[in-house]
Amino acid sequence: MVAAEVIPGPRIGEAWGLTLHPLQHSGPKFVQRTGMLEPRSRQLDGHVASGCLPGEQILAWAPGVRKGLEPELPGTLICTNLRVTFQPCGWQRSQETPLSSEYDFALVNIGRLEAVSGLSRVQLLRPGSPLKFIPEEILIHGRDFRLLRVAFEAGGLEPQAFQVTMAIVQARAQNSQVQQYAGIPLSKAGQSSGSRKPPVPLLETSEDWEAERKKQGARGWRVSTVNERFDIATSLPRYFWVPKRTLDSEVRRAFGHFHQGRGPRLSWHHPGGSDLLRCGGFYTASDPNKEDIRAVESMLQAGHSDVVLVDTVDELPSLADVQLAHLRLRALCLPDSSAAEEKWLSALEGTRWLDYVRSCLRKASDISVLVTSRVRSVVLQERGDRDFNGLLSSLVQLLSVPEARTLLGFQSLVQREWVAAGHPFLTRLGVTGASEEAPVFLLFLDCVWQLLQQFPAEFEFSEFFLLALHDSARVPDTLTFLRDTPWERGKQGGQFNSYTQIYNPGYCQPPAGNSVNSQLSVWDWDLRYNSEQILQFHNPGYDPEHCPDSWLPRQQPSFMVPGPPSAVWLFSRGALTPLNQLCPWRDNPSLLAVSSRWLPRAAISSESLADQEWGLPSHWGACPLPPGLLLPGYLGPQIRLWRRCYLRGRPEVQKGLSAPTISGLQDELSHLQELLRKWTPRISPEDHSKKRDPNTILSQSR
């Protein structure tokens, strides 16, 4: 049996759920080495320490009281080499869900650490900074907008308050990126068998991709294995979809003419016949021959005569803009924000975050019109093909088909368009310390929340599921969000150690013996949440009549018409502009010297594409919208602040929000229905049936 050594204290093992060796209570076990606190501790045994993870060490602890929430909770603040957590008195952490506590803060998730003494002494603690006084309170601001505020008890325990505060400061400084993000091998992983089936297909095998292709009904496509050894691009998955008649040799040559080797491939096949593709920017410095040009054009057309190239980043913010807006939003949502109450909404507008949400929803609405209105090939083109392409492709699918709005469908969508497609999670979330930080994935989740607010009966999942996914992006327990590329994720999981990578920028080999079960993913919710919490992931207002298989046949529906013969369009600034060719190299050698943003720009339109096409619905007849398509509002107050997420550090603001449980939501709904019956004048059953709106939940009550 291996025991852990911690600083002395009254039965800390019982509070943390540990079985500790008696010698652990003999005295202080911290020494000062090169200005850093280091525990003389052995590695915890996962079978002994039910509350600790394998490899986790307790560095310091102190009794205290959690403040800011009602009622205040007495307990213990604990710092380990992986996280900071508050353990309420009498609460036992479940071995089945070792990361389920809402009080856990991964070290990398701590954005700001403050020590408070009295009413005026406040010190912002940065890595390496000494603590100038014994704190009476400590405030831990999470980068996910959470706040942990703990007041320490007096009566001779001041040294413990000092020690745990300094332990947090120094653990953040000591915690290297490789050590922190090598993955936490949860105890449940060791109990999993090799034949365990993931709750969501991880798309790491050709069989997974083939099953997904058949599910979408993409008969004109096949699974390509040309990148099986990652010798085309490590940021691409091992398998992807290409046109059925395109040879892998043609795919290899064609992909070489796109930025980072990310050539055109199928993102999603619409049940009506259209295809949504995504690719990187044209690498115009290349010199394609006639065969290459034909292969590129054939892959972009995807068997359609009507082709639309969409400049993804047009009208959308840059990565630097997204990062700056998110930083301003976090600063504004702090409890001690300097913004005056009467000017708070103006300050919120000044962050530009809601503007960027609005821009993404508008762009996605326009693209969904392009995909749905005619049978065509719609190509999303972004220089890197790893950020806004995934955001827009995901939103288009959410707007277009009810299947993506189910709990399983949405998880599969994120796995395919973000994880498998190579979104650089570590870089964009600021874990690697690179300058390219920009929370594009969190911006996407905000857009989804806006859709959930506008169409509450259309989504099977709830706001609490989005919150869980939002917070899981910064929890280092699985490989889902722990790497920038599929190659790094698979290499860490030991899937293809025998393969030799060709292109591998900036990858650090993790330490030996610290691997995780690659079959565990963020979708294994039972590792972090109990059954009652998982039940809250389901939206009680979801309309079960919105069955994914009943809304639209797999054949081409009558409302979708073929595009004009051999039509090539550019969609830019809300307008369609005809083009003479798809590729920038054909019949124009001078384009070889320009950047990938070679396409001409049209004047920006004051109307969205949906407004233009459905304002004069010549090809729609009397039907204004096809079945299953959602077009969100994005003007003025239609875009709202996600208060339950961004204002979690201000408990007083959370009052008045909807109840956090399904039973509470049902009680609140019953109360609203009772008020509605009292306020609604009596009308005849015939008039009631005429005025009833089938798209609302409240209309089901009489």
Side-chain angles (χ1 to χ4, degrees):
M1 179 179 297
V2 181
E5 298 178 353
V6 296
I7 62 174
R11 307 186 68 80
I12 180 63
E14 294 181 3
W16 183 243
L18 306 181
T19 304
L20 300 179
H21 195 278
L23 295 179
Q24 291 176 285
H25 300 280
S26 59
K29 298 296 181 182
F30 281 86
V31 294
Q32 188 79 15
R33 296 181 184 175
T34 63
M36 305 295 288
L37 287 175
E38 295 185 2
R40 296 176 186 170
S41 60
R42 306 184 186 102
Q43 192 172 17
L44 287 171
D45 188 325
H47 299 286
V48 176
S50 61
C52 285
L53 303 171
E56 188 173 19
Q57 300 170 343
I58 298 177
L59 305 180
W61 68 275
V65 176
R66 166 145 194 180
K67 305 186 69 176
L69 297 176
E70 296 294 341
E72 295 181 348
L73 291 177
T76 304
L77 183 68
I78 304 171
C79 175
T80 77
N81 60 322
L82 299 176
R83 54 182 165 170
V84 177
T85 187
F86 181 78
Q87 180 80 57
C89 291
W91 182 79
Q92 293 292 327
R93 185 182 301 269
S94 171
Q95 185 175 5
E96 292 300 313
T97 55
L99 293 176
S100 62
S101 174
E102 59 178 309
Y103 307 122
D104 283 350
F105 280 74
L107 292 176
V108 72
N109 186 34
I110 299 177
R112 183 176 175 182
L113 182 64
E114 294 177 322
V116 180
S117 179
L119 299 177
S120 58
R121 301 185 69 183
V122 179
Q123 182 182 355
L124 178 62
L125 299 176
R126 297 183 175 88
S129 61
L131 183 58
K132 300 178 181 179
F133 52 82
I134 295 179
E136 297 179 4
E137 288 186 10
I138 183 173
L139 280 75
I140 302 176
H141 299 272
R143 299 179 60 173
D144 56 3
F145 294 87
R146 289 188 299 157
L147 172 64
L148 178 61
R149 178 184 175 190
V150 177
F152 298 111
E153 299 177 356
L157 296 177
E158 292 85 355
Q160 286 181 273
F162 183 89
Q163 284 182 327
V164 72
T165 304
M166 288 305 302
I168 297 173
V169 174
Q170 297 173 7
R172 292 176 64 198
Q174 282 183 309
N175 188 28
S176 65
Q177 298 166 6
V178 173
Q179 176 186 3
Q180 176 70 28
Y181 277 89
I184 299 177
L186 298 178
S187 58
K188 213 167 190 179
Q191 303 170 5
S192 301
S193 62
S195 60
R196 174 188 172 277
K197 184 178 180 180
V200 173
L202 302 183
L203 298 176
E204 293 173 345
T205 65
S206 59
E207 291 77 14
D208 287 346
W209 285 92
E210 179 63 19
E212 182 67 21
R213 184 195 66 82
K214 292 181 179 179
K215 183 179 179 181
Q216 294 189 13
R219 298 184 179 88
W221 299 82
R222 66 175 180 87
V223 178
S224 174
T225 60
V226 69
N227 196 46
E228 193 169 28
R229 296 177 179 268
F230 293 98
D231 52 354
I232 290 184
T234 56
S235 64
L236 284 176
R238 299 173 66 189
Y239 311 99
F240 44 79
W241 299 312
V242 297
K244 207 168 193 177
R245 297 183 179 181
T246 305
L247 301 177
D248 277 350
S249 58
E250 296 176 316
V251 173
R252 183 182 298 273
R253 290 196 304 268
F255 274 41
H257 302 299
F258 291 85
H259 185 68
Q260 294 185 356
R262 298 180 67 90
R265 62 209 182 279
L266 178 66
S267 176
W268 170 62
H269 176 76
H270 189 279
S274 292
D275 289 310
L276 183 65
L277 287 72
R278 57 186 290 185
C279 67
F282 290 117
Y283 181 48
T284 52
S286 61
D287 186 15
N289 55 37
K290 293 181 180 180
E291 288 75 15
D292 292 346
I293 292 180
R294 282 196 293 265
V296 170
E297 290 183 336
S298 175
M299 298 178 70
L300 292 173
Q301 289 174 335
H304 300 280
S305 59
D306 190 14
V307 185
V308 179
L309 287 177
V310 179
D311 189 357
T312 299
V313 297
D314 181 38
E315 300 180 271
L316 294 185
S318 65
L319 295 177
D321 293 335
V322 173
Q323 171 64 6
L324 180 59
H326 195 258
L327 290 176
R328 289 174 175 173
L329 181 66
R330 275 184 19 210
L332 179 64
C333 293
L334 289 174
D336 58 348
S337 173
S338 59
E341 192 68 28
E342 63 274 9
K343 297 183 179 180
W344 198 89
L345 292 179
S346 299
L348 175 61
E349 282 296 319
T351 65
R352 301 295 306 277
W353 181 260
L354 297 184
D355 286 338
Y356 299 154
V357 172
R358 184 178 295 110
S359 300
C360 292
L361 288 177
R362 170 172 173 153
K363 187 87 170 182
S365 299
D366 289 346
I367 298 173
S368 67
V369 173
L370 291 172
V371 173
T372 310
S373 60
R374 294 179 181 272
V375 178
R376 53 169 48 126
S377 170
V378 179
V379 184
L380 305 180
Q381 189 170 39
E382 179 190 17
R383 176 174 173 80
D385 181 36
R386 301 176 67 185
D387 295 295
F388 289 105
N389 267 8
L391 183 147
L392 291 177
S393 177
S394 301
L395 289 180
V396 167
Q397 296 176 55
L398 285 171
L399 294 175
S400 302
V401 289
E403 184 178 3
R405 303 169 207 151
T406 64
L407 188 59
L408 177 60
F410 182 77
Q411 293 178 108
S412 300
L413 175 68
V414 173
Q415 183 70 29
R416 184 178 69 251
E417 298 296 336
W418 293 87
V419 181
H423 176 69
F425 284 102
L426 286 186
T427 300
R428 295 294 180 256
L429 294 176
V431 179
T432 61
S435 59
E436 296 85 6
E437 180 179 356
V440 180
F441 182 68
L442 305 185
L443 178 64
F444 162 70
L445 293 181
D446 197 320
C447 294
V448 178
W449 181 83
Q450 303 290 338
L451 297 178
L452 183 60
Q453 301 308 301
Q454 296 189 26
F455 307 99
E458 301 284 346
F459 291 84
E460 186 184 19
F461 54 86
S462 67
E463 177 185 18
F464 298 100
F465 170 77
L466 294 179
L467 274 174
L469 192 55
H470 179 280
D471 296 344
S472 297
R474 301 188 187 278
V475 176
D477 58 345
T478 66
L479 288 180
T480 305
F481 301 134
L482 295 185
R483 289 292 176 261
D484 276 346
T485 67
W487 185 89
E488 295 174 4
R489 192 176 295 108
K491 184 70 174 179
Q492 176 64 30
Q495 295 176 343
F496 36 82
N497 291 326
S498 61
Y499 291 167
T500 302
Q501 72 279 10
I502 304 300
Y503 173 68
N504 180 25
Y507 176 73
C508 298
Q509 179 68 27
N514 197 14
S515 62
V516 301
N517 189 327
S518 62
Q519 292 300 309
L520 288 176
S521 68
V522 70
W523 317 121
D524 292 279
W525 295 113
D526 56 348
L527 293 175
R528 297 176 298 282
Y529 299 93
N530 56 39
S531 57
E532 182 179 352
Q533 292 170 322
I534 294 177
L535 190 61
Q536 297 182 30
F537 290 175
H538 295 266
N539 176 17
Y542 175 64
D543 188 351
E545 294 182 359
H546 296 169
C547 179
D549 296 327
S550 64
W551 74 280
L552 191 65
R554 288 298 177 182
Q555 294 79 24
Q556 178 176 321
S558 59
F559 65 80
M560 294 190 70
V561 298
S566 302
V568 180
W569 308 87
L570 163 70
F571 178 68
S572 177
R573 299 185 180 273
L576 284 170
T577 305
L579 296 177
N580 294 326
Q581 72 274 341
L582 274 170
C583 302
W585 314 279
R586 183 184 291 276
D587 302 327
N588 197 345
S590 62
L591 286 173
L592 294 176
V594 301
S595 67
S596 62
R597 297 172 62 88
W598 61 276
L599 298 171
R601 294 300 183 109
I604 187 169
S605 172
S606 59
E607 295 182 318
S608 69
L609 186 64
D611 298 331
Q612 297 173 45
E613 292 214 0
W614 281 303
L616 296 173
S618 58
H619 59 281
W620 292 103
C623 180
L625 286 177
L629 178 63
L630 306 179
L631 288 183
Y634 43 78
L635 300 178
Q638 292 175 307
I639 302 300
R640 302 159 55 188
L641 178 68
W642 191 0
R643 293 198 297 167
R644 193 181 291 280
C645 179
Y646 302 140
L647 297 179
R648 283 183 286 179
R650 305 174 68 174
E652 72 281 0
V653 182
Q654 298 292 325
K655 295 179 180 180
L657 297 183
S658 57
T661 63
I662 291 181
S663 60
L665 287 173
Q666 292 173 340
D667 293 341
E668 186 173 342
L669 180 60
S670 300
H671 176 65
L672 292 175
Q673 290 173 338
E674 180 64 27
L675 292 177
L676 185 63
R677 281 192 292 267
K678 292 180 180 179
W679 294 343
T680 302
R682 295 181 178 274
I683 57 178
S684 64
E686 294 78 7
D687 294 336
H688 188 280
S689 61
K690 292 179 181 178
K691 295 184 178 181
R692 187 171 59 178
D693 183 4
N695 293 323
T696 61
I697 306 174
L698 292 179
S699 63
Q700 299 175 0
S701 63
R702 291 182 179 266

